[in-house]
Amino acid sequence: MVIVIFRTRLRAGADQDALVQLTQEMRTLVQTIPGFLSVKDFVASDGESVSIAEFQTMAAAKVWREHPEHRHAQERGRTEFFSHYHVQVCEVGRDYSFPC
């Protein structure tokens, strides 16, 4: 399994309604990628937003990274919405839960 952690901070004056719309479009699109498992979003008390996406394989995560519509959304993120972002791509070494 591969986990992609996407941390962002909004730039001053960013159009939050447009960002919500774009995020919804990307959520719908990523679900069409074979090997996509899930995505969840969180907002920290300091205002940082975090999205955690799960993919079955690194290949599936790369398909998402390179998707043309996602590439366009990435560019919009850099130019319109985010003052900062940080992406981490992690291969899971251990995975368990309670109760089993």
Side-chain angles (χ1 to χ4, degrees), residues 4-15:
V4 178
I5 304 166
F6 181 51
R7 299 167 60 163
T8 62
R9 290 195 180 275
L10 282 179
R11 70 176 58 217
D15 183 343

Side-chain angles (χ1 to χ4, degrees), residues 4 14 16 18-19 21-23 25 30-31 33 38-39 42 46 55 57 66 71-72 77 79 85 91:
V4 178
Q16 292 186 32
L19 178 56
Q21 177 65 34
L22 182 61
T23 299
E25 291 170 8
V30 73
Q31 293 177 26
I33 302 295
S38 70
V39 65
F42 306 90
D46 66 358
F55 294 87
T57 64
E66 299 298 328
R71 282 288 196 191
H72 179 70
T79 60
Y85 70 87
E91 292 194 73

Side-chain angles (χ1 to χ4, degrees), residues 3-100:
I3 307 295
V4 178
I5 304 166
F6 181 51
R7 299 167 60 163
T8 62
R9 290 195 180 275
L10 282 179
R11 70 176 58 217
D15 183 343
Q16 292 186 32
D17 291 336
L19 178 56
V20 167
Q21 177 65 34
L22 182 61
T23 299
Q24 290 171 343
E25 291 170 8
M26 291 301 103
R27 293 293 182 260
T28 299
L29 183 61
V30 73
Q31 293 177 26
T32 69
I33 302 295
F36 167 76
L37 298 173
S38 70
V39 65
K40 291 186 180 181
D41 301 308
F42 306 90
V43 178
S45 60
D46 66 358
E48 182 179 55
S49 294
V50 178
S51 295
I52 301 173
E54 297 176 313
F55 294 87
Q56 288 177 335
T57 64
M58 187 64 73
K62 287 179 181 178
V63 167
W64 174 238
R65 181 187 70 202
E66 299 298 328
H67 191 286
E69 289 179 58
H70 186 218
R71 282 288 196 191
H72 179 70
Q74 292 170 32
E75 180 61 26
R76 286 190 67 194
R78 286 188 290 274
T79 60
E80 296 177 41
F81 303 117
F82 305 129
S83 64
H84 171 84
Y85 70 87
H86 183 167
V87 178
Q88 295 172 296
V89 180
C90 313
E91 292 194 73
V92 175
R94 184 165 38 154
D95 183 12
Y96 60 93
S97 60
F98 177 84
C100 297

